[in-house]
């Protein structure tokens, strides 16, 4: 991913910065087209993973839609040129203003997460003399086998409506004149690398679809959310997630009706591997049992290791000396500001460059100004 000439260019740039390989993103999108879109599946890119316009532009060109979780994300998607008909809007706590933003532009679907939200959307749509397209987000109670902070489909998670509440919904919907029910929605979690939870999800969706039909609701679409994981340990041997196997799960296990659309909301699997956080070694310090490589990027630029104990591969770009063992840490005043512990890396010195890999999703977008840090910059492969 990093040729010698690219590393030479990096040497002169102020660090830290995110580097996005747009060629890598295009190849990934080719796979989404080949294994997903070409079979008729609809994919809404989860804009929360990375909302840079350069990235959104390629995603739009590839024919994907957008999945949003805030009013500002809806606005961003529209600004990037996506049509309202390509936008789904989920989130457990949509404010009245955010709902109005979606109604004003006539988005494809509000993915509704509570009965009260349905009633509020109905009132607001009534006030605007319009009709909202709504799909019901159901909580299927499925263990996604991922980090507990990014599991969303269990009963104890705040997301979606418990299917036990469906009788209430079936009774409510016909009374809501400003709502048009067009589908059901699920999202069981993120960074899911074992496909079995998706098989389980299909079984659950098949049961629930029947229940909707028994209650007189034919569903125009089924939205299965996102969640496909990426290989953080070996990004170079698996730069593109296995979209073929992912979509095949649904080919084989989901029972769809004639003319019914199937939607997905993939984020990490699309943009994760195209981004790296490039950082410079500031200091090497020997502790009692530990040698620290202190770099100029920290949890303020990439919070995933501190927040989810996530492991991002660290590649050294400017040294091939015999290896030593390091804890790679950032400059922030928190001990959780650690990228890797006790890893072998080519011997480092002040000024060396490292790439923290697989950081294209939930990296830059989750950066913060803690310690009054400057906003991290982005550099793109087509403009360096
Ligand atoms: N749809 C909904 C309703 C979501 O909440 C999410 C992610 C997605 C789709 C996309 O999921 P993906 O395909 O990217 O797994 N910050 C965490 C990840 C949080 C994911 C939140 N929701 C991380 O850095 O691991």
């Amino acid at each position: 991913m990093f040729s010698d000439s690219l590393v030479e260019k990096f040497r002169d740039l102020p660090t830290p910065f995110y580097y996005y390989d747009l060629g890598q993103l295009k190849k990934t999108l080719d796979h989404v087209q080949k294994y997903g879109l070409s079979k008729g599946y609809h994919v809404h890119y989860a804009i929360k993973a990375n909302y840079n316009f350069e990235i959104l532009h390629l995603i739009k060109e590839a024919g994907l839609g957008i999945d949003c979780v805030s009013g500002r994300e809806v606005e961003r998607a529209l600004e990037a040129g996506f049509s309202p008909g390509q936008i789904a809007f989920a989130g457990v706590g949509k404010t009245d203003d955010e709902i109005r933003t979606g109604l004003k532009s006539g988005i494809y679907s509000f993915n509704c997460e509570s009965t009260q939200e349905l009633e509020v959307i109905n009132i607001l749509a009534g006030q605007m003399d319009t009709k909202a397209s709504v799909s019901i987000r159901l909580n299927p109670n499925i263990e996604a086998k991922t980090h507990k902070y990014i599991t969303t489909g269990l009963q104890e998670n705040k997301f979606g409506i418990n299917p036990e509440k469906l009788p209430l919904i079936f009774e409510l919907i016909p009374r809501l004149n400003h709502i048009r029910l067009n589908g059901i929605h699920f999202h069981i979690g993120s960074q899911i690398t074992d496909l079995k939870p998706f098989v389980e999800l299909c079984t659950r969706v098949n049961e629930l679809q029947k229940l909707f039909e028994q209650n007189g609701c034919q569903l125009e679409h089924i939205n299965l959310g996102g969640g496909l994981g990426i290989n953080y340990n070996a990004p170079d041997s698996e730069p593109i997630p296995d979209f073929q196997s992912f979509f095949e799960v649904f080919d084989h296990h989901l029972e769809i009706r004639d003319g019914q659309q199937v939607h997905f909301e993939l984020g990490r699997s699309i943009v994760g591997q195209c981004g790296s956080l490039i950082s410079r070694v500031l200091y090497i310090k020997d502790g009692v049992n530990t040698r620290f490589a202190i770099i100029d990027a920290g949890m303020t630029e990439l919070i995933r290791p501190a927040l989810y104990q996530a492991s991002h591969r660290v590649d050294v770009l400017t040294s091939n000396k015999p290896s030593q063992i390091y804890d790679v840490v950032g400059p922030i005043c928190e001990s959780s500001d650690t990228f890797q512990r006790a890893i072998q890396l080519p011997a480092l010195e002040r000024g060396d460059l490292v790439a923290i890999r697989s950081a294209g999703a939930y990296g830059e977008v989750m950066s913060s100004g803690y310690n009054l840090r400057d906003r991290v910059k982005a550099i793109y492969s087509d403009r360096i």
Side-chain angles (χ1 to χ4, degrees):
M1 192 177 216
F2 306 104
S3 64
D4 291 349
S5 62
L6 183 59
V7 172
E8 277 318 301
K9 288 179 187 160
F10 283 175
R11 277 189 202 270
D12 299 329
L13 298 171
T15 48
F17 59 87
Y18 273 91
Y19 172 73
Y20 294 105
D21 182 339
L22 299 181
Q24 174 62 39
L25 175 58
K26 279 189 200 152
K27 284 187 214 150
T28 308
L29 289 165
D30 286 346
H31 280 227
V32 175
Q33 283 178 320
K34 181 169 172 197
Y35 298 113
L37 305 190
S38 71
K39 291 181 189 168
Y41 290 132
H42 295 248
V43 178
H44 301 258
Y45 164 64
I47 192 172
K48 68 173 80 61
N50 188 313
Y51 44 67
N52 292 353
F53 282 116
E54 289 77 358
I55 288 185
L56 295 180
H57 174 70
L58 291 181
I59 289 172
K60 185 169 105 49
E61 296 285 286
L64 282 73
I66 291 283
D67 154 53
C68 301
V69 285
S70 75
R72 298 279 295 123
E73 286 187 355
V74 173
E75 287 166 1
R76 183 83 164 192
L78 294 170
E79 245 176 281
F82 290 88
S83 76
Q86 294 175 296
I87 299 177
F89 182 8
V92 290
K94 300 178 191 77
T95 66
D96 293 12
D97 275 346
E98 288 179 315
I99 293 169
R100 284 191 201 102
T101 299
L103 287 170
K104 223 179 295 161
S105 53
I107 57 168
Y108 173 66
S109 175
F110 286 89
N111 295 342
C112 249
E113 309 228 10
S114 65
T115 45
Q116 202 167 23
E117 185 190 328
L118 277 171
E119 287 167 331
V120 169
I121 294 180
N122 185 57
I123 292 169
L124 296 176
Q127 285 166 0
M128 291 170 69
D129 202 16
T130 185
K131 209 158 181 160
S133 296
V134 160
S135 96
I136 306 283
R137 178 169 180 178
L138 292 163
N139 184 324
N141 197 26
I142 284 174
E143 173 54 80
K145 303 197 184 100
T146 182
H147 191 280
K148 65 174 188 299
Y149 288 3
I150 50 177
T151 293
T152 49
L154 284 176
Q155 248 163 32
E156 67 257 34
N157 301 134
K158 67 181 173 182
F159 300 97
I161 295 175
N162 185 327
E164 282 173 22
K165 299 274 180 268
L166 277 176
L168 210 71
I169 303 268
F170 294 137
E171 194 206 314
L172 184 66
I173 292 281
R175 289 194 273 121
L176 304 178
N177 295 328
H178 295 278
I179 275 187
R180 192 177 70 85
L181 178 68
N182 66 0
I184 47 177
H185 172 239
F186 303 81
H187 173 71
I188 58 173
S190 199
Q191 185 50 21
I192 301 170
T193 48
D194 171 354
L195 294 178
K196 279 191 224 97
F198 292 117
V199 175
E200 244 185 275
L201 174 61
C202 290
T203 310
R204 195 79 185 99
V205 173
N206 295 342
E207 288 163 13
L208 288 165
Q209 154 133 277
K210 284 184 198 131
L211 190 62
F212 272 79
E213 287 167 346
Q214 283 155 14
N215 284 276
C217 305
Q218 303 304 317
L219 302 168
E220 223 170 79
H221 81 268
I222 295 177
N223 181 338
L224 299 135
L228 177 63
I230 62 172
N231 189 336
Y232 281 99
N233 299 324
D236 290 324
S237 54
E238 202 184 331
I240 300 177
D242 186 356
F243 289 108
Q244 182 173 9
S245 303
F246 174 73
F247 287 112
E248 275 174 8
V249 166
F250 302 92
D251 298 345
H252 296 144
H253 300 278
L254 190 68
E255 290 165 11
I256 58 168
R257 309 294 182 242
D258 276 351
Q260 192 168 49
Q261 293 182 4
V262 179
H263 293 231
F264 295 91
E265 301 169 339
L266 297 167
R268 184 189 324 261
S269 51
I270 293 173
V271 294
Q273 297 292 28
C274 77
S276 295
L277 176 59
I278 310 297
S279 176
R280 213 170 235 114
V281 175
L282 289 173
Y283 303 104
I284 302 294
K285 172 164 95 170
D286 282 332
V288 178
N289 300 311
T290 315
R291 174 163 289 179
F292 296 101
I294 302 165
I295 63 175
D296 64 2
M299 62 193 282
T300 37
E301 285 69 49
L302 179 64
I303 200 174
R304 302 194 67 260
L307 189 58
Y308 314 114
Q309 299 79 47
S311 170
H312 287 252
R313 199 185 146 82
V314 176
D315 283 346
V316 175
L317 302 181
T318 51
S319 163
N320 47 20
K321 298 191 194 109
S323 68
Q324 297 191 356
I325 295 179
Y326 295 96
D327 274 18
V328 180
V329 301
I332 306 304
C333 299
E334 304 256 353
S335 292
S336 59
D337 185 28
T338 296
F339 290 106
Q340 287 285 354
R341 287 186 206 280
I343 52 160
Q344 290 228 346
L345 294 176
L348 291 165
E349 55 186 63
R350 176 173 165 82
D352 271 326
L353 291 173
V354 300
I356 303 173
R357 304 290 306 277
S358 313
Y362 308 112
E364 190 183 346
V365 286
M366 291 178 80
S367 63
S368 78
Y370 183 42
N371 289 190
L372 266 182
R373 302 267 293 173
D374 286 335
R375 176 102 202 161
V376 65
K377 294 183 188 54
I379 289 182
Y380 300 91
S381 54
D382 63 345
R383 257 178 279 153
I384 182 169

